[in-house]
Amino acid sequence: MLRLITVVCLLLAVPVLGILGSWLALDAQALAILQHQLQTVLPEYAWASLVLSVCVAIGVALIGGATAAAVSLFDFPGRRFFEWGLLLPMAMPAYVAAYAYTDALQYSGALQTWLRALTGAQGALWPDVRSLPGAVGLFVLCLYPYVYLLTRTALSERGVALMEAARMLGAGTARRVREVALPLARPALAAGIALALMETLADYGVGAYFGLTTLTTGVYKAWLVMNDKTAAAQLASVLLLAVGALLWLERRAQAKLRFASSRSGALHAAEARPLPLHGGAALAAVLLCALPILLGFVVPVLVLLQLLWQEALHAELGLPLARFVQWSLSSLKLSGLAALLAVLLALVLAYLARVRGSGSALLGVSTRIVSLGYAVPGAVIAIGILLPLGWLQERWPQLGLTSLMTGTIAGLMYAYLVRFSGVALQSLEAGYARISPTVDETARMLGASRTRMFLELHAPLLARSAWAAALLVFVDVMKELPATLVLRPFNSDTLAVVAYQLARDERLGEAALPSLAIVLVGLIPVIMLSRAMRRS
């Protein structure tokens, strides 16, 4: 059993190994392609990705950190709502927000048309939203909840109590925030920024729709437009190295965060109270927390609803409800199957880690491989699957591996498992952490076998964690675009793919319906998180 699971985990590592292994075949032709890219497109791709990442990092740190400090350390009107309301932009994929803001802010949009008629101005009233600064704004509005969630957790555990102690020692509010709250939040800020940047680098929808020249869009251009697999592999490896550095930063920050949290005084934190704000300070806190929700969730949803209403009124054939049902069923089928397979694999891995402990180095490596998959961008996974398949097909064409893995549900499920099994594994490991080891010891003393112990003890206790893992994987697969765009079977378009294709063709009214469906599904983990926050 252990060897079989290890083989499965190693297979999940093939896409990353395929990208890195492409450098082993660095012949004169590949070296010439690399030199050509260094002289032409690679500096532009790297610079655009670097500028995008730096600006997004600054933006999510400022908005996520400031809102987390506001709701954790201070008391003001609406604070209870903002505690969970600030998570709402997590339900809005950046590429969906891009479609909404493009329609709302473009030259021919209703807002600019109305303002020109009102003021008599000529020409565009502001720069085109489909630009690098526009992409920065969208990513900041959609990804700041990563920083907010981690920073709020860190500050809630110790920040209020230590701020109160600093106040009793005579420190002013500004000094308390600067010398107490900020050092406490620094590991959480770093971890949240790293997560936000991994999502930024993995994105393809916004970059392609806005025409940006980033590493991710460069990978797809090299593969699909230039038909150059060597150039695509080289660009994907650069992207993989950048994501690997961010993953190392996130793990290091999380380790510091766990250390800080483990020493927290829960009793003192519960007894301490946030500092009340009044007058102008309270109004500033309300505006600080309301604007990200308004711009990151409310405005895009209202624009999409308005587009949907216009499409229903003025389209010749009305809303494409029959096709929408087909797209939804395809998305539900793929998401449900991927969630089931990911949870089953995660259950086996988590159970083996539980019963074998830390004694199996092979199991530890296998678990590590699965948990790292979520950090790998979908573009890298897609290219990493196709490269080894092409190599195997050239040498053993009789195997027919390309017909098995490309344009099939099997290939898509493989990509989803590589990408999202780590999400399920983290949830189930957290569930096992809440089950005391004495439960297993008692069952063994009573003569229960491992199978009976899992079925009658672990399974009921892990039911909520398994459902949470399945929901998270389900939602992630529903929103996934890059790998699905390349590997999907024919006539199996998902909601994300259809929304992207319609928006790319400037059919934003038709793209509104699948986009709203994606947002609706994305609300599921937000509701789960808000309920967990209220219980805590």
Side-chain angles (χ1 to χ4, degrees):
M1 182 65 175
L2 178 59
R3 292 181 178 178
L4 177 62
I5 292 298
T6 302
V7 171
V8 172
C9 294
L10 291 176
L11 286 175
L12 295 181
V14 165
V16 174
L17 297 177
I19 293 294
L20 298 178
S22 63
W23 290 95
L24 298 178
L26 191 64
D27 53 12
Q29 181 181 0
L31 196 60
I33 293 174
L34 177 60
Q35 185 177 5
H36 177 70
Q37 292 200 96
L38 287 172
Q39 295 172 351
T40 54
V41 296
L42 188 55
E44 183 181 3
Y45 292 157
W47 176 250
S49 299
L50 178 62
V51 172
L52 180 65
S53 300
V54 171
C55 294
V56 169
I58 294 172
V60 297
L62 291 175
I63 295 180
T67 52
V71 300
S72 301
L73 305 178
F74 303 100
D75 192 14
F76 53 90
R79 172 175 168 266
R80 292 295 181 186
F81 164 75
F82 290 127
E83 281 183 336
W84 65 266
L86 284 162
L87 296 173
L88 286 174
M90 290 186 74
M92 180 66 61
Y95 59 84
V96 172
Y99 309 153
Y101 272 107
T102 296
D103 180 80
L105 300 178
Q106 63 185 344
Y107 175 81
S108 59
L111 181 59
Q112 282 210 49
T113 302
W114 176 74
L115 288 175
R116 284 196 299 270
L118 182 66
T119 62
Q122 299 294 324
L125 300 181
W126 47 72
D128 188 4
V129 67
R130 286 195 279 193
S131 60
L132 186 60
V136 169
L138 288 174
F139 282 125
V140 169
L141 290 173
C142 294
L143 299 178
Y144 81 85
Y146 287 102
V147 177
Y148 163 76
L149 188 61
L150 293 177
T151 307
R152 179 190 174 277
T153 302
L155 291 177
S156 297
E157 289 175 345
R158 300 185 69 193
V160 177
L162 292 179
M163 288 276 285
E164 178 68 14
R167 186 190 66 82
M168 295 176 65
L169 292 173
T173 302
R175 185 181 177 190
R176 277 179 276 158
V177 171
R178 184 177 65 253
E179 298 184 9
V180 176
L182 186 58
L184 278 176
R186 194 174 293 132
L189 282 170
I193 290 170
L195 289 172
L197 290 184
M198 281 191 280
E199 291 290 336
T200 302
L201 290 176
D203 175 82
Y204 173 73
V206 175
Y209 185 59
F210 280 12
L212 303 181
T213 54
T214 62
L215 286 171
T216 305
T217 57
V219 169
Y220 278 87
K221 184 177 180 181
W223 182 274
L224 299 177
V225 179
M226 299 169 59
N227 196 26
D228 192 333
K229 62 181 182 180
T230 304
Q234 291 171 353
L235 290 172
S237 62
V238 175
L239 180 60
L240 186 61
L241 289 176
V243 172
L246 289 171
L247 182 63
W248 173 81
L249 174 63
E250 188 267 340
R251 292 295 172 90
R252 184 178 179 183
Q254 286 280 15
K256 292 181 180 179
L257 186 60
R258 285 192 292 269
F259 174 75
S261 300
S262 65
R263 299 185 54 169
S264 61
L267 181 60
H268 296 292
E271 292 176 349
R273 292 291 179 266
L275 178 67
L277 298 178
H278 305 284
L283 178 61
V286 170
L287 291 177
L288 172 67
C289 296
L291 283 176
I293 302 174
L294 182 66
L295 298 177
F297 183 79
V298 177
V299 169
V301 168
L302 291 178
V303 172
L304 291 173
L305 287 173
Q306 186 253 350
L307 285 171
L308 183 63
W309 178 253
Q310 288 184 343
E311 185 70 17
L313 289 179
H314 303 297
E316 294 182 3
L317 301 177
L319 293 175
L321 296 180
R323 288 185 296 162
F324 175 73
V325 171
Q326 181 181 356
W327 303 331
S328 301
L329 289 177
S330 178
S331 297
L332 291 173
K333 176 180 65 176
L334 294 174
S335 302
L337 183 57
L340 175 63
L341 294 176
V343 169
L344 288 177
L345 176 61
L347 268 174
V348 174
L349 278 173
Y351 171 72
L352 290 176
R354 171 83 171 193
V355 298
R356 292 179 179 268
S358 58
S360 175
L362 192 60
L363 180 63
V365 172
S366 302
T367 305
R368 188 73 170 177
I369 289 173
V370 172
S371 64
L372 294 180
Y374 190 67
V376 182
V380 174
I381 291 175
I383 303 303
I385 291 174
L386 295 175
L387 277 177
L389 279 178
W391 182 82
L392 292 172
Q393 183 69 20
E394 289 179 0
R395 282 153 180 79
W396 297 286
Q398 67 276 10
L399 295 178
L401 292 176
T402 53
S403 61
L404 178 65
M405 298 297 292
T406 57
T408 63
I409 292 181
L412 202 52
M413 286 301 111
Y414 176 52
Y416 289 155
L417 285 178
V418 174
R419 182 88 164 87
F420 301 119
S421 292
V423 178
L425 182 60
Q426 288 179 0
S427 179
L428 288 168
E429 285 180 337
Y432 261 124
R434 292 191 292 268
I435 303 176
S436 174
T438 57
V439 174
D440 297 6
E441 296 172 1
T442 303
R444 285 195 295 266
M445 290 177 62
L446 293 175
S449 64
R450 288 182 174 179
T451 303
R452 185 183 177 191
M453 182 172 63
F454 175 78
L455 294 176
E456 298 185 12
L457 288 178
H458 293 178
L461 294 173
L462 290 173
R464 291 182 62 181
S465 297
W467 275 111
L471 282 174
L472 290 174
V473 175
F474 182 89
V475 172
D476 280 335
V477 172
M478 286 283 286
K479 297 191 294 184
E480 210 286 328
L481 177 62
T484 309
L485 196 61
V486 176
L487 300 173
R488 72 189 189 282
F490 293 108
N491 297 322
S492 296
D493 287 337
T494 64
L495 290 170
V497 171
V498 168
Y500 166 75
Q501 291 176 333
L502 291 174
R504 182 189 59 188
D505 296 338
E506 298 300 330
R507 297 156 65 186
L508 293 174
E510 296 177 62
L513 185 59
S515 298
L516 283 170
I518 295 171
V519 174
L520 185 63
V521 173
L523 285 173
I524 295 175
V526 173
I527 295 172
M528 293 168 55
L529 278 173
S530 63
R531 291 181 61 186
M533 290 168 62
R534 284 197 297 268
R535 285 197 301 267
S536 63

